[in-house]
Amino acid sequence: QVQLVESGGGLVQPGGSLRLSCAASGIAFNLYAVTWYRQAPGKQRELVAGITTGGRTNYADSVKGRFTISRDNAQNTAYLQMNSLKADDTAVYYCNAESWQWGKKYDAWGQGTQVTVSS
């Protein structure tokens, strides 16, 4: 059974840091690209950062230079290091794992972890 579990969210003051983790099970993690999304109250879900199977990364303009996405295939885990956090970063953060194999798309979502940036 495919499962993604996010952790590491919480309450942090502006300017602080958090590290989110996305632990995968039930999949060949190294075959999946991983993307972090977030959804703030009353807003649409938006892409935050993504990492390919080969390690290439991309970021939303709003987080470039502050967030870093990485992956450890040996641990079946992806990470999102978030620095210089702002109130606007407050949201539920979700990880998604996606793979195309033999013309078929496989993907999975985690349950989300709340990040609140407030003084």
Side-chain angles (χ1 to χ4, degrees), residues 8-89:
L11 173 64
V12 64
Q13 292 186 343
S17 298
L18 284 174
R19 188 194 197 201
L20 305 184
S21 299
C22 173
S25 60
I27 59 173
F29 184 70
N30 60 305
L31 298 181
Y32 284 72
V34 176
T35 305
W36 285 95
Y37 293 84
R38 67 186 180 188
Q39 187 165 20
K43 295 186 177 180
Q44 289 188 328
R45 188 172 295 189
E46 63 174 355
L47 184 150
V48 176
I51 186 166
T52 68
T53 56
R56 285 187 300 175
T57 60
N58 66 285
Y59 298 91
D61 288 343
S62 59
V63 307
K64 280 181 181 176
R66 300 189 298 122
F67 290 11
T68 302
I69 189 172
S70 61
R71 64 188 300 156
D72 183 342
N73 289 338
Q75 298 295 324
N76 289 346
T77 302
Y79 303 96
L80 185 67
Q81 177 67 44
M82 306 186 296
N83 299 328
S84 302
L85 282 161
K86 307 174 182 179
D88 286 348
D89 296 318

